[in-house]
Amino acid sequence: MRVPLSWLSEFTPLDVDAADADGVAALGAELDSLGLVVEAVEHVGGGLAGVVVARVVEIRPIPGADRIRLALVDAGGDEPVEVVCGAWNYVVGDVVPFATVGAVLAGGVEITRRKMRGVTSNGMLCSATELGLGADASGLFILASTGTADGSLPAGLALGTPIAEYLGLVADVVYELEVEPNRPDCLCVAGVARDLAARRHLPFAIPQPVVAENGPPVGSLASVVIEAPGACRRFAARVVTGITTVASPRDVQRRLILSGMRPIHSVVDASNYTMLELGQPTHPYDLDRLPGRGLRVRFARPGETLITLDGEARVFGVERHRSGGERPVDDLLICDADDVPVGIAGVMGGESSEIAPGTSAVLIEAADFSAMAVGRTARRQQLRTEASTRFWRGIDPEGPVRAADRVAGLIVAAALAAGAAPPVVAAGVIDLQPTPVVRRTIHLRPGRLNVLLGTSLRTDAIAGYLAPIGFATEPDSAGLAVTVPPFRPDVEREVDVIEEVARHLGYEHIAPTRKRSPGVGLLTAHQADRRRLAGLVAGYGADEAWTSSIVNPGHERKLGTGTAPVELVNPIVREESALRTSLLPGLLGCLRQNASVRNPAVRLFEIGHVFAHPGAGVTLPVEREQLGVVLGFDGDGAPEAVRLWQGIAEGLGLADGGLGLVQDQPGSRAVLAGAGALGCHPTRTAAVAGADASGTVGTVGFVGEVDPAALEAFNLAGRRVGWLVLDTVRLFALRRREGRGPVLSRFPSSDIDLSFTLDSSVPAARLGSVVRAAAGEYCEDVRLVDVFRGPGLSPGLRSLTFRLRFVAPDRTLTDADVAVARARCIAAAEAELGAGLRG
Amino acid sequence: MNRKRADGDEASAGPPNTDVLRALVAGARQRITSAEDLAALSAVEAELTGRRSALATWKRELGGLDEAARRELGGELNEKRRVLEALIAERRAALVEVARAGVLEADRLDLTEVIPAPGPGHPHLVTRIREELEDIFLGMGYEIAEGPEVETDWYNFTALNMPPDHPARSGQDSFYVDLGDGESVLLRTHTSPVQIHLLERGVLPIYAVMPGLVYRRDTPDASHLPVFHQLEGLVVDRGITFGDLAGTIETFTKAIFGEDVRARLRPGYFPFTEPSAEFDISCTICGGVGCRTCSGVGWIELGGCGLVHPAVLESTGVDPEVWSGFAFGFGIDRVAIMRHGIEDMRAFIENDVRFLAGC
């Protein structure tokens, strides 16, 4: 919302000079404090010497150029001047700003004589932006469109007049405001002025529009029927006849430009000006082009069509589904008396009744369409207009008649200023109001207000903040009965009124207080464990990655038959359209990305959510938090992954009981068939098993390597990548070592190494367990210290060396004690697994 | 030559006179200081003070002298022995030091030639900031609450007082998934659903922050990712005021950005809070005087906040007449960007290890 300072000052005596930098800044700070965010402050109206008013008298193509043309303009001199111009929005007869050679434009650009494509350009035709006069840079700033090369200019003006004089340019300031959705009242200059006047304790008034009715009763000229009273709560219309469309007075043009709109002619300008000023959108119809000279407001029938002012042919009453089906929808249309659509209510008018140069009779519509009706249609049609935005936010339901009066008044004033024949205003207003507006009353408890804000405002002070913004107050049993003004549809309950008081008190005047929690701030056990886990993995050399949880479903399929992912209904791109079922694809993508920029080999981890489709009848996906680690250093592989897992188990203090790695034996895929084993190397992966506090043993994840096929799918073929995936909730539920400190023997231990030959198909862990069980009570530790395959061993066999540590709590063990245990271990290994002692 | 003379001449020539002894000491001093290593010194020591030395011989011969001569010579011999022993000890200490220096020098290592081993990895920058923020609120006695990333529209919108036609609910802004009836299950657009879960738990008062991933249907660019991190806070207690909100914002923004940072609240709009506010901090680059980072205004918008809307409390069965509260929220990634001068957010999810290890 662009608001010129001069326009604001018309409603309240702000007394801020555009040249007073401090005053301009102070006003901006007040707007901020009121919640009207100042996004930019523009100073306008300076300079522009050398820019004059000129009329286009001829347009010629330039041979060989298809983007620029040669315009001959009459700038009041003896001969037309040749100017090269790249804009296309002008025709012969248009009056435009012409920057002569030597002029300096808004951005500091100095105009020189230039030669282009063999043609000399003696200056430049300008857009509003180039003149620093507004936001419209889309084409030339058309000052007047007379239709003919010798058309008339607004009274008293000659070609060659300096533009500053022509537009009556004065130094001004434009505040560009961001208006929050709950402040529809501030989508107009008057509303912003009201808020400022209240903050500054200044008087505020919206002048009553002056309309001199001098025609026949309006009812004899036009008719309006509302067939959808729920969506059109009020419809006001005025009729003005005897019109010639002329250029608007300078001030009207200037304000439209500063507000970011382009002046067209007196009728359209009057409508736009009124909307910017009062917030009420209006629409002018060419009454002579309205069959039956009347309007009907009704919902569209499915499939009805209309060509709107932007030239688009649009279909109404039906909406296409993504799936391809259609369903009927309510689109509110304005139709002529013959029931043919002539406009979309509150969004945009139709081409057929557009105001054109020949228009002489105008019906001005000022209605209150419901936010839902306008908002939904605008969204479906992807057509957000100044009007639809205002209806969607909510307009003043008591405003239509005043707006219709204002438009009529402006049309008449423009004609008089231009010296045209005075238009005739029909007597009276068509004013249909199927649903009367009832002003809302809210009970405000001053005590409640002070409790919520932390203030101690007296009741009369509260009323004092509310009155200037239109909230009437009356003492009642609860405190104050507050009548909400009609232009504040957002204020529905007590707390909304409290916000208004806080706003006008100023948030900066509410003293900050230190409120502390009565509780103790502690991480949950899960959160503390997760931090420890991340620390352990980072300590192992892995950098933490953050990959998107929205993934390419094709990537997951590359890794094998995972669970079906949850898919997005409305992805931005197909490549990011499913929720990840595994952290692996994302992490492999990172390895690939790092490889592509020739980074050294990396280890990466991520802790994040993965998602799976729930069973039938369940609405939400199965969502689990996992740790995923890819180990991509040179030489990394399953052994490193196992060591990482062992480090995690140690770091988390997991109890040994029940912990183990469960691996598929040749010919079996039982372990890897488990959920979560996506992308795991078939023969170099084990399930990580453990027992929880209740003793139940379950799988908490997988450890090993990434399947070579998966690596190939990610262009990482030929590498080994270690892979560990753990379900954090299950991991943290595993039994921990008891907190009691171990009792340490003070006697020396005896260590022995035992090397066995064992068939490669038998897990080393099984031999370890057998040895451990046979070693007896004095055995404190059994540890695998060496694995050997090769010369001296039959194929299919490998040598496994375990180091056993024996210690007694109360004495030094003798060689004989250890020899007995050793013999038991050897015998058990032989008997249970056929493992022979290696000489 | 020296040695021969000492052995031969003096030992066989009867009790030495003073001159002989002085000469002995002088000769010995020269031999001791010229001993080049510990072995040579030990040999010299044996010759000068050992059993076969002149001193020892003379001492043995003292018995043949009269009482007075014996006492005089004995004292003199002892004194000369002490002098020699001291000289030897001094020389030995010097030679030991030389030997040790030699050994140490041979052991010299250039510590800058050490080949680096792979070091520890790094937590993600966003994780570090998130934990720092969590710790600030833990210190204020808050709990940290978490929740699922996929939610029903009730938790994400309806319970938060967002009407069915709210623009954020459209498929334009939110990602919906192929679950539930129609478009009713979505990737949460804020961590506010966790607030609803907390309120529904029914344990009051609540002092909690909820960090986590949220999703919005934005095309990735330098300042937007469709997936990003947010941290929200919720306090519900008896008598919570807007002043409490302002004080809390002030406290934690100073904890994050430093004591010099000022915070301010401006009126804003959110369906789930009333009164609502945007909160800004004074620009961390220019300190508030205005610069390019803050577009010359001296303030940087950080997040949104407000008193919890009574409709939100009502939707979860909490009586707004008894309880009141405030809520706030801001982007964790945004704090990371501001503190570390990151120019393109996409670096966060590119996971180039140079970035992961570098900031």
Side-chain angles (χ1 to χ4, degrees):
Chain A
M1 180 67 196
R2 294 170 54 87
V3 187
L5 173 61
S6 61
W7 205 346
L8 283 172
S9 305
E10 214 160 80
F11 297 95
T12 183
L14 289 173
D15 201 23
V16 175
D17 192 306
D20 170 12
D22 289 346
V24 169
L27 196 68
E30 276 167 32
L31 288 164
D32 263 336
S33 164
L34 288 164
L36 301 165
V37 183
V38 179
E39 298 200 304
V41 181
E42 264 174 47
H43 294 263
V44 295
L48 298 185
V51 183
V52 300
V53 174
R55 181 170 49 215
V56 179
V57 292
E58 192 180 342
I59 302 172
R60 292 183 198 150
I62 299 173
D66 51 5
R67 286 165 190 267
I68 52 175
R69 294 180 296 181
L70 182 67
L72 274 66
V73 298
D74 177 357
D78 298 337
E79 294 286 324
V81 185
E82 294 190 345
V83 190
V84 175
C85 182
W88 289 79
N89 68 320
Y90 65 100
V91 294
V92 167
D94 283 352
V95 178
V96 295
F98 169 47
T100 55
V101 172
V104 179
L105 299 187
V109 181
E110 189 180 340
I111 302 301
T112 54
R113 186 169 283 115
R114 292 177 63 195
K115 201 160 184 180
M116 281 177 270
R117 298 264 179 186
V119 185
T120 301
S121 183
N122 301 294
M124 180 174 138
L125 306 184
C126 306
S127 71
T129 303
E130 282 158 348
L131 298 179
L133 293 176
D136 189 352
S138 64
L140 293 190
F141 176 13
I142 310 293
L143 301 167
S145 198
T146 59
T148 57
D150 54 357
S152 61
L153 284 173
L157 276 163
L159 296 175
T161 306
I163 188 88
E165 184 185 320
Y166 177 85
L167 293 177
L169 286 189
V170 288
D172 204 344
V173 171
V174 180
Y175 293 97
E176 191 166 346
L177 305 180
E178 187 198 326
V179 179
E180 298 280 7
N182 66 331
R183 297 301 308 283
D185 60 305
C186 281
L187 289 176
C188 64
V189 178
V192 175
R194 182 190 294 115
D195 240 19
L196 277 174
R199 174 57 73 90
R200 293 200 157 188
H201 309 294
L202 296 172
F204 166 83
I206 301 178
Q208 203 54 45
V210 181
V211 200
E213 296 175 347
N214 51 359
V218 66
S220 67
L221 299 177
S223 66
V224 176
V225 178
I226 299 176
E227 291 177 9
C232 178
R233 290 172 297 188
R234 189 163 188 179
F235 197 113
R238 267 198 180 274
V239 171
V240 182
T241 57
I243 290 176
T244 3
T245 54
V246 294
S248 291
R250 286 193 277 194
D251 259 6
V252 169
Q253 292 202 23
R254 191 180 72 89
R255 286 182 176 168
L256 288 173
I257 292 160
L258 292 182
S259 302
M261 295 188 110
R262 179 183 286 184
I264 312 282
H265 54 64
S266 56
V267 176
V268 170
D269 291 354
S271 174
N272 286 335
Y273 190 92
T274 300
M275 177 179 69
L276 293 172
E277 182 178 63
L278 303 175
Q280 168 72 53
T282 60
H283 186 72
Y285 298 85
D286 184 333
L287 188 57
D288 296 328
R289 295 167 71 195
L290 269 187
R293 304 180 82 80
L295 296 176
R296 307 167 76 87
V297 185
R298 64 162 172 85
F299 286 113
R301 290 185 265 278
E304 243 176 330
T305 59
L306 165 70
I307 298 174
T308 42
L309 281 175
D310 55 6
E312 289 276 318
R314 298 173 183 275
V315 181
F316 300 92
V318 285
E319 182 182 35
R320 275 196 187 79
H321 272 286
R322 283 200 183 82
S323 53
E326 287 188 347
R327 71 180 177 105
V329 290
D330 283 342
D331 286 320
L332 193 64
L333 297 182
I334 311 295
C335 303
D336 61 27
D338 292 349
D339 214 24
V340 176
V342 293
I344 319 173
V347 183
M348 187 178 273
E351 228 177 38
S352 64
S353 54
E354 183 181 1
I355 308 297
T359 297
S360 71
V362 172
L363 184 156
I364 303 153
E365 161 204 299
D368 175 15
F369 302 117
S370 88
M372 286 301 164
V374 173
R376 285 176 178 164
T377 299
R379 198 158 75 209
R380 278 194 290 268
Q381 297 290 340
Q382 301 193 335
L383 190 58
R384 293 213 172 118
T385 59
E386 294 276 346
S388 74
T389 300
R390 285 174 171 79
F391 281 115
W392 168 238
R393 300 276 187 90
I395 60 151
D396 178 355
E398 295 181 10
V401 172
R402 180 169 55 197
D405 288 351
R406 181 67 168 147
V407 175
L410 286 168
I411 291 171
V412 172
L416 296 178
V424 179
V425 180
V429 184
I430 296 175
D431 183 12
L432 306 180
Q433 193 172 12
T435 323
V437 178
V438 180
R439 292 198 180 190
R440 191 179 282 131
T441 301
I442 292 172
H443 297 283
L444 175 69
R445 297 162 294 172
R448 175 78 179 156
L449 178 145
N450 284 320
V451 162
L452 279 182
L453 296 183
T455 49
S456 45
L457 297 175
R458 287 157 42 108
T459 304
D460 54 351
I462 293 169
Y465 285 116
L466 290 171
I469 50 171
F471 290 71
T473 55
E474 194 73 44
D476 72 358
S477 56
L480 287 172
V482 179
T483 304
V484 179
F487 49 81
R488 290 305 302 272
D490 58 295
V491 175
E492 293 176 333
R493 51 194 289 177
E494 184 184 34
V495 71
D496 298 326
V497 181
I498 292 174
E499 179 177 69
E500 288 308 299
V501 173
R503 224 163 46 77
H504 280 275
L505 168 64
Y507 284 6
E508 64 273 26
H509 293 124
I510 299 175
T513 44
R514 287 284 166 103
K515 182 76 188 177
R516 305 210 57 112
S517 161
V520 176
L522 275 182
L523 293 174
T524 62
H526 182 90
Q527 290 160 351
D529 277 337
R530 186 174 52 206
R531 285 195 184 186
R532 201 180 319 164
L533 177 64
L536 288 167
V537 179
Y540 202 71
D543 288 320
E544 187 181 11
W546 162 21
T547 69
S548 177
S549 13
I550 304 174
V551 297
N552 188 337
H555 283 182
E556 300 229 334
R557 278 195 292 275
K558 278 186 195 171
L559 302 190
T561 51
T563 41
V566 175
E567 305 228 12
L568 299 186
V569 175
N570 56 337
I572 300 174
V573 286
R574 180 69 203 146
E575 290 68 36
E576 290 160 20
S577 64
L579 297 186
R580 62 185 175 195
T581 64
S582 163
L583 298 173
L584 183 58
L587 288 171
L588 288 181
C590 295
L591 285 190
R592 176 72 214 130
Q593 164 71 18
N594 278 289
S596 71
V597 292
R598 304 272 162 89
N599 278 338
V602 292
R603 292 175 170 174
L604 293 170
F605 78 100
E606 181 170 12
I607 297 175
H609 287 208
V610 297
F611 308 82
H613 240 291
V618 184
T619 306
L620 292 174
V622 180
E623 197 168 324
R624 306 202 65 95
E625 186 184 77
Q626 290 191 344
L627 162 75
V629 192
V630 286
L631 302 173
F633 285 172
D634 294 335
D636 272 352
E640 278 311 310
V642 171
R643 282 179 205 123
L644 170 59
W645 155 243
Q646 289 163 343
I648 289 169
E650 187 61 32
L652 292 177
L654 301 185
D656 289 338
L659 275 192
L661 302 183
V662 184
Q663 201 167 351
D664 278 321
Q665 294 309 308
S668 161
R669 293 294 307 257
V671 171
L672 288 194
L678 189 72
C680 286
H681 192 299
T683 58
R684 295 172 78 94
T685 297
V688 178
D692 65 16
S694 71
T696 310
V697 175
T699 297
V700 300
F702 294 90
V703 62
E705 259 168 45
V706 179
D707 190 333
L711 293 174
E712 201 176 325
F714 281 84
N715 294 327
L716 294 162
R719 300 174 58 168
R720 279 194 190 282
V721 175
W723 169 234
L724 173 67
V725 55
L726 297 171
D727 182 297
T728 57
V729 172
R730 292 188 195 137
L731 172 68
F732 300 151
L734 294 184
R735 209 163 34 171
R736 313 292 173 105
R737 283 197 289 270
E738 285 182 35
R740 227 182 309 155
V743 179
L744 304 179
S745 171
R746 294 188 292 110
F747 297 92
S749 66
S750 301
D751 292 3
I752 60 166
D753 285 0
L754 288 176
S755 294
F756 297 97
T757 50
L758 182 67
D759 192 281
S760 287
S761 68
V762 182
R766 273 188 68 195
L767 179 54
S769 308
V770 167
V771 169
R772 181 73 189 77
E777 58 170 326
Y778 295 133
C779 180
E780 195 182 58
D781 189 39
V782 174
R783 185 171 302 230
L784 182 64
V785 293
D786 189 47
V787 180
F788 174 75
R789 285 183 177 82
L793 286 174
S794 320
L797 288 183
R798 87 277 209 199
S799 161
L800 300 168
T801 302
F802 291 90
R803 181 159 298 159
L804 289 73
R805 160 169 282 215
F806 294 93
V807 66
D810 52 352
R811 65 189 172 94
T812 303
L813 290 173
T814 64
D815 288 351
D817 291 328
V818 175
V820 169
R822 181 175 184 275
R824 275 203 311 268
C825 293
I826 294 165
E830 167 72 45
E832 295 185 35
L833 300 174
L837 189 68
R838 193 160 168 246
Chain B
M1 282 196 333
N2 236 343
R3 181 172 148 185
K4 267 199 173 156
R5 203 181 63 200
D7 285 353
D9 298 350
E10 280 117 336
S12 56
N17 61 23
T18 306
D19 289 342
V20 171
L21 285 175
R22 191 174 298 129
L24 175 96
V25 169
R29 185 190 300 274
Q30 201 275 324
R31 291 184 64 196
I32 288 167
T33 51
S34 53
E36 290 294 332
D37 55 33
L38 286 167
L41 182 65
S42 292
V44 170
E45 182 180 30
E47 285 168 20
L48 292 176
T49 63
R51 290 169 57 85
R52 292 161 169 275
S53 65
L55 283 177
T57 307
W58 288 328
K59 188 166 184 181
R60 277 195 300 274
E61 291 169 356
L62 282 176
L65 299 181
D66 62 35
E67 175 67 24
R70 192 168 71 215
R71 181 162 306 183
E72 188 188 348
L73 183 60
E76 200 149 346
L77 288 178
N78 278 343
E79 195 229 312
K80 296 306 179 212
R81 172 177 285 273
R82 275 196 300 276
V83 168
L84 293 188
E85 281 173 352
L87 286 170
I88 290 164
E90 186 188 344
R91 181 61 184 162
R92 175 165 286 128
L95 288 176
V96 164
E97 188 47 48
V98 168
R100 177 181 140 75
V103 170
L104 292 178
E105 193 52 44
D107 204 24
R108 175 171 292 280
L109 178 67
D110 172 9
L111 295 188
T112 64
E113 75 183 23
V114 175
I115 294 164
H122 306 80
H124 198 281
L125 174 62
V126 170
T127 302
R128 295 208 313 268
I129 303 272
R130 168 183 162 153
E131 290 185 358
E132 188 184 322
L133 295 170
E134 288 176 353
D135 290 345
I136 288 168
F137 287 101
L138 288 171
M140 292 164 71
Y142 286 50
E143 66 174 301
I144 296 164
E146 297 174 60
E149 291 168 17
V150 182
E151 285 282 6
T152 60
D153 54 0
W154 197 83
Y155 282 99
N156 197 73
F157 296 127
T158 314
L160 289 156
N161 195 34
M162 291 167 89
D165 268 278
H166 195 278
R169 297 184 81 141
S170 79
Q172 203 62 39
D173 299 334
S174 308
F175 285 117
Y176 286 87
V177 300
D178 59 349
L179 293 169
D181 295 328
E183 291 187 349
S184 63
V185 180
L186 72 159
L187 303 186
R188 65 180 180 189
T189 59
H190 41 198
T191 57
S192 310
V194 182
Q195 300 191 18
I196 302 302
H197 290 295
L198 271 180
L199 286 164
E200 281 183 338
R201 190 175 68 178
V203 181
L204 297 167
I206 294 168
Y207 289 77
V209 287
M210 22 260 139
L213 274 180
V214 299
Y215 301 82
R216 305 228 175 126
R217 212 166 160 276
D218 285 327
T219 306
D221 62 27
S223 53
H224 294 90
L225 290 178
V227 185
F228 60 100
H229 295 86
Q230 210 184 34
L231 184 132
E232 292 185 10
L234 174 69
V235 167
V236 177
D237 202 344
R238 291 172 205 270
I240 293 292
T241 71
F242 197 84
D244 295 337
L245 167 64
T248 302
I249 300 273
E250 189 177 88
T251 301
F252 80 72
T253 50
K254 281 185 188 301
I256 300 168
F257 294 102
E259 276 300 310
D260 296 339
V261 159
R262 286 159 293 129
R264 73 166 182 188
L265 303 188
R266 286 180 292 111
Y269 171 71
F270 306 102
F272 29 85
T273 48
E274 189 85 15
S276 298
E278 310 270 357
F279 63 95
D280 303 338
I281 56 165
S282 53
C283 179
T284 51
I285 305 296
C286 65
V289 296
C291 67
R292 254 184 50 194
T293 303
C294 58
S295 312
V297 297
W299 296 93
I300 293 177
E301 196 175 314
L302 194 64
C305 62
L307 294 187
V308 180
H309 198 292
V312 174
L313 297 176
E314 285 159 2
S315 75
T316 54
V318 174
D319 184 354
E321 289 296 313
V322 179
W323 303 94
S324 60
F326 62 74
F328 56 84
F330 58 94
I332 298 176
D333 314 315
R334 197 166 147 64
V335 173
I337 284 170
M338 286 169 63
R339 286 237 308 236
H340 294 263
I342 291 159
E343 289 183 353
D344 191 332
M345 262 190 98
R346 286 168 290 194
F348 281 136
I349 54 168
E350 245 165 39
N351 296 299
D352 189 307
V353 285
R354 291 169 297 180
F355 178 83
L356 297 178
C359 52

